[in-house]
Amino acid sequence: AQKITQTQPGMFVQEKEAVTLDCTYDTSDQSYGLFWYKQPSSGEMIFLIYQGSYDEQNATEGRYSLNFQKARKSANLVISASQLGDSAMYFCAMSLMDSNYQLIWGAGTKLIIKP
Amino acid sequence: DSGVTQTPKHLITATGQRVTLRCSPRSGDLSVYWYQQSLDQGLQFLIQYYNGEERAKGNILERFSAQQFPDLHSELNLSSLELGDSALYFCASSPSGGSNQPQHFGDGTRLSIL
């Protein structure tokens, strides 16, 4: 079954520390995409980073990087030098060619950055 | 700003009523997706349109319908509303709907059923 698992319901991190949010996925498809989105308390859904299943290099976008380990089926998000504004829900999602690229979502991780 | 516009931002209505949610995709994007985010079900895919044609259907109830117009804006129609339909409804768009294309989301419409 196609599934995304985020095992950390919530995390507290000290400001300026790096944080890793875990995501594992389950699919037998060879072609898929992995995404991370941020949802602040105001509710909007903000795209952070993307990794394709055939990409050999880990994706990076500013302070965000995706630690892609294909054999382990994991796609962890790493936020370097966390800031107070990083406090939000973070969702890992997967799109599959065989499912017309609809996003399959994890349950999310609530990240709180402590000053 | 994602470039995806959703209206209205908030909607309060009663059971049994019908509402229409509107979405304008980012300029140049042909594919529109609708998602529902509720407390008990999390985020769920509802339906996808590409250039005016329905492309994929997810967990969309028969009481719900959608369409994409020639100018590429999309509407999600919810009828015979029930308390359980209270949720945040998102529209997202992408250029063509491929897996290597991030979906960019609007700010959502928060629907409350009283």
Side-chain angles (χ1 to χ4, degrees):
Chain A
Q2 331 281 20
K3 191 179 178 182
I4 292 281
T5 302
Q6 294 180 254
T7 56
Q8 307 151 311
M11 285 186 72
F12 286 89
V13 172
Q14 202 67 39
E15 189 181 8
K16 298 181 185 175
E17 289 184 353
V19 57
T20 297
L21 304 181
D22 295 341
C23 172
T24 58
Y25 60 93
D26 187 14
T27 181
S28 55
D29 290 13
Q30 297 302 306
S31 177
Y32 52 89
L34 296 159
F35 303 81
W36 278 92
Y37 286 85
K38 173 184 178 182
Q39 187 177 36
S41 57
S42 48
E44 68 269 31
M45 194 69 76
I46 302 166
F47 165 72
L48 295 178
I49 198 166
Y50 163 83
Q51 180 86 38
S53 58
Y54 296 115
D55 296 340
E56 295 185 355
Q57 301 267 11
N58 285 342
T60 59
E61 291 283 351
R63 293 187 300 112
Y64 305 108
S65 60
L66 200 153
N67 184 1
F68 181 46
Q69 297 188 43
K70 197 169 182 176
R72 294 186 179 184
K73 294 191 173 180
S74 76
N76 298 339
L77 177 70
V78 180
I79 307 174
S80 63
S82 57
Q83 303 170 356
L84 295 179
D86 294 333
S87 295
M89 281 290 288
Y90 288 81
F91 291 95
C92 180
M94 175 171 63
S95 68
L96 301 165
M97 183 177 70
D98 289 351
S99 299
N100 284 305
Y101 307 115
Q102 61 180 267
L103 288 175
I104 300 164
W105 298 85
T109 296
K110 183 161 186 171
L111 176 64
I112 297 174
I113 308 298
K114 300 182 291 183
Chain B
D1 182 9
S2 68
V4 179
T5 304
Q6 284 189 251
T7 56
K9 290 195 184 305
H10 302 277
L11 204 46
I12 302 174
T13 188
T15 55
Q17 296 298 305
R18 173 189 171 95
V19 296
T20 297
L21 313 183
R22 183 188 167 99
C23 169
S24 294
R26 291 193 320 167
S27 177
D29 285 359
L30 299 178
S31 198
V32 169
Y33 304 78
W34 286 97
Y35 293 89
Q36 179 194 59
Q37 185 178 30
S38 62
L39 286 174
D40 54 345
Q41 303 273 7
L43 276 151
Q44 291 198 96
F45 166 73
L46 295 178
I47 197 163
Q48 179 201 358
Y49 280 83
Y50 172 73
N51 204 21
E53 300 288 329
E54 181 185 303
R55 179 177 265 190
K57 247 181 179 177
N59 299 320
I60 188 166
L61 300 172
E62 285 191 10
R63 300 183 285 108
F64 296 0
S65 64
Q67 53 184 326
Q68 186 179 28
F69 295 86
D71 67 353
L72 300 178
H73 91 271
S74 178
E75 292 181 356
L76 179 67
N77 300 296
L78 315 177
S79 62
S80 303
L81 287 167
E82 302 175 359
L83 294 175
D85 298 328
S86 293
L88 186 53
Y89 291 84
F90 284 110
C91 165
S93 73
S94 68
S96 66
S99 74
N100 61 346
Q101 297 171 346
Q103 295 176 25
H104 292 272
F105 283 68
D107 289 346
T109 294
R110 191 171 296 277
L111 176 63
S112 300
I113 312 299
L114 303 179

